[in-house]
Amino acid sequence: MAEKDSEGDAPDSSRRLHVTVLLVASRRALDMALNELGFLEDDDRVIEHDGRLAFLTCTHEADCDDLFALISELSARGESWELQSRIDTEGGRVIYQSLARHRPVEAIDAPLEEEAEPETSEAAAHNVETNEGVAALKRVLRRIEPADAFATIRPDRDGKATARILRRGSRRLLAAATASDEATLRGVIREILPNVMLDVAMKPPG
């Protein structure tokens, strides 16, 4: 009896993990599906990914209804599509998963690829959940053309999210921003740089 009691009193060691999912398709196919379903032209969940377009959802989104609607529309049109997932685990490791029609489901457990921190005050990360942070980011980006830049967004080990806005071609760091979740970062960046393309880290290093 004592043994059963001790088992019942054992703390629950499970914890929720952060998950990012991309629905990836050709630019033409996803554009047509988005238009047919009435998505806004500047929906910040639509990002550029490996030369294709992708629709992003993650743990911070309210639900996956829009993702499934797009899958249904693409399937009804006979289009090819792929689901890519990134699961951030403990100990600086990430599980990358890929599911596509004409190849087996695949999962890779890999170390998190660290990015160098900004070295200059101009590129210091701005907290966009404060008025001061948003204003500072606007000052840095207001002279940038959206077509000349792109933003990478990834979750951090502390549960927050970081965005880095880079110059196309040279990949020079223009600005960095932080928030409690990716959706907030996407909304703020797209407000300052309408139609700027976003990307997320969804593949293991190398």
Side-chain angles (χ1 to χ4, degrees):
M1 179 68 69
E3 183 177 348
K4 290 185 178 180
D5 290 343
S6 63
E7 289 178 357
D9 293 339
D12 185 0
S13 59
S14 63
R15 68 192 271 288
R16 292 185 181 274
L17 300 175
H18 184 272
V19 182
T20 303
V21 179
L22 293 187
L23 170 62
V24 187
S26 71
R27 187 175 298 272
R28 175 196 57 79
L30 193 54
D31 269 339
M32 291 179 64
L34 290 164
N35 291 335
E36 180 66 26
L37 294 173
F39 281 80
L40 296 176
E41 195 170 316
D42 60 350
D43 193 310
D44 61 38
R45 294 169 295 178
V46 179
I47 69 171
E48 193 172 70
H49 188 67
D50 288 345
R52 296 182 289 172
L53 282 188
F55 183 84
L56 180 152
T57 190
C58 74
T59 305
H60 292 115
E61 302 290 346
D63 56 49
C64 296
D65 283 357
D66 288 344
L67 178 74
F68 281 103
L70 284 167
I71 290 174
S72 297
E73 182 65 24
L74 288 167
S75 298
R77 292 173 176 271
E79 301 286 2
S80 296
W81 49 271
E82 177 184 358
L83 284 177
Q84 294 183 12
S85 302
R86 167 184 166 144
I87 305 171
D88 294 88
T89 66
E90 292 182 325
R93 299 194 68 82
V94 180
I95 296 174
Y96 300 92
Q97 186 177 38
S98 175
L99 175 65
R101 286 180 60 192
H102 300 298
R103 63 173 186 262
V105 63
E106 179 183 55
I108 298 174
D109 181 359
L112 176 65
E113 185 177 17
E114 299 288 353
E115 290 186 358
E117 292 298 320
E119 296 180 357
T120 66
S121 59
E122 181 183 12
H126 305 291
N127 181 357
V128 298
E129 292 180 307
T130 66
N131 292 333
E132 295 82 1
V134 172
L137 187 62
K138 284 182 177 179
R139 285 195 296 271
V140 175
L141 299 180
R142 63 187 173 186
R143 293 185 294 272
I144 302 298
E145 290 292 332
D148 294 336
F150 69 100
T152 64
I153 299 177
R154 66 165 55 198
D156 292 336
R157 292 187 182 185
D158 59 4
K160 296 184 178 181
T162 297
R164 287 175 170 80
I165 298 87
L166 306 169
R167 176 81 67 182
R168 284 193 180 275
S170 68
R171 297 185 67 88
R172 182 171 69 85
L173 181 65
L174 301 173
T178 62
S180 58
D181 58 76
E182 297 95 318
T184 299
L185 280 173
R186 296 198 309 267
V188 171
I189 292 171
R190 280 273 176 85
E191 181 180 348
I192 300 171
L193 295 176
N195 301 318
V196 69
M197 291 312 300
L198 307 174
D199 200 1
V200 292
M202 295 294 290
K203 288 189 175 181

